Amino acid sequence: MNDARPVERHSVRGFKPDALDDATLDAIFGAAQRAASWCNIQPWRVWLTSPPRTAALSAAMLEAAKTGLPHAELAFPLDYPPPYQEHRRACGHALYGAMGIGRDDKSRRYDAWLRNYAFFDAPHLAVVACDRRLMPYALIDVGVWLGYLFAAAANVGVDTCAMASVAAYPEVLRAHLGIPDDLAILFGIALGHEDPAVPANATRTSRAPIESNVTRT
Ligand SMILES: Cc1cc2nc3c(=O)[nH]c(=O)nc-3n(C[C@H](O)[C@H](O)[C@H](O)COP(=O)(O)O)c2cc1C
């Protein structure tokens, strides 16, 4: 049998403050740069923050999250029919269970949601955008790039969390990072090293069996 092991990784939602060095960031983003894309158009556009800029951006994002309604440019799904709804519930159960937050504890759930806008204390945030003229097809390419980035980070012992939540306040990201209007802001990625003391980091998610997703004919 050939060796096709998945990359050992999980989303990390509590980071140590230490910045990654340039060589490590170059290794990760250099590997992701090798991602395949349709006609090799390489449509991912990325703004990467480091300390102290990450904290300044986080302060502005927290303010926006506390005072305004989310309005992502790439609309989040409103409804999750079966079987997606069950997967989503299980994901929430794993996360809030790890944090010891009950289903009806609105106050602690709100605080947990706000942690997205602290970027889970990560030293780095990558904000990922894509030219609106290439939509929707180029989103496939950006997804391929994200998979490469996850794998590259894991390979050098760097932890990550993709964050669609960050894209919910695009005007703050544009003002701080100078992202032009012709790009749609898609998601953020927190990068750094896991703080094992953070309860949310005990979260583990499962996957459905192959047959749920793959039809052999
Ligand atoms: C595009 C994308 C956006 C995501 N957005 C968020 C987010 O806003 N907040 C969060 O805590 N996790 C976010 N996640 C993490 C997912 O919840 C996580 O990948 C999923 O539950 C599977 O768990 P695992 O990454 O630990 O394997 C996102 C993941 C992806 C791929």
Side-chain angles (χ1 to χ4, degrees):
M1 196 179 80
N2 293 326
D3 186 359
R5 277 174 299 179
V7 177
E8 285 300 328
R9 57 154 296 282
H10 59 269
S11 293
V12 160
R13 298 182 179 87
F15 290 83
K16 293 178 178 169
D18 317 80
L20 302 172
D21 59 37
D22 283 341
T24 302
L25 289 170
D26 284 351
I28 295 169
F29 284 88
Q33 200 66 14
R34 298 298 308 168
S37 57
W38 175 245
C39 299
N40 199 25
I41 62 167
Q42 306 159 59
W44 48 89
R45 294 291 180 272
V46 184
W47 276 257
L48 177 63
T49 71
S50 290
R53 194 155 199 179
T54 311
L57 179 59
S58 167
M61 290 294 282
L62 275 165
E63 181 61 25
K66 284 177 189 167
T67 54
L69 290 175
H71 48 277
E73 295 174 334
L74 189 69
F76 300 155
L78 292 175
D79 191 31
Y80 292 84
Y84 314 108
Q85 189 183 54
E86 286 75 30
H87 292 322
R88 191 169 186 241
R89 276 204 196 115
C91 172
H93 192 74
L95 176 58
Y96 289 107
M99 291 190 286
I101 300 178
R103 200 181 153 80
D104 300 321
D105 193 340
K106 288 199 173 128
S107 163
R108 289 190 66 208
R109 282 190 169 239
Y110 176 72
D111 290 344
W113 172 73
L114 277 184
R115 292 279 301 146
N116 280 275
Y117 300 98
F119 315 144
F120 305 118
D121 299 328
H124 303 279
L125 180 77
V127 176
V128 182
C130 179
D131 195 311
R132 295 178 198 275
R133 294 169 297 179
L134 303 174
M135 298 279 200
Y137 202 83
L139 295 176
I140 299 173
D141 302 331
V142 180
V144 174
W145 174 86
L146 176 61
Y148 268 60
L149 186 110
F150 278 158
N155 277 339
V156 294
V158 167
D159 298 302
T160 52
C161 189
M163 286 184 293
S165 48
V166 162
Y169 299 95
E171 68 288 348
V172 179
L173 300 171
R174 288 190 196 288
H176 273 252
L177 304 175
I179 302 173
D181 284 336
D182 55 346
L183 303 183
I185 295 177
L186 305 179
F187 54 86
I189 310 165
L191 296 110
H193 287 122
E194 174 172 1
D195 179 348
V198 173
N201 287 338
T203 306
R204 291 296 179 276
T205 52
S206 61
R207 300 293 187 272
I210 302 172
E211 293 70 31
S212 303
N213 299 67
V214 179
T215 305
R216 295 175 210 241
T217 60

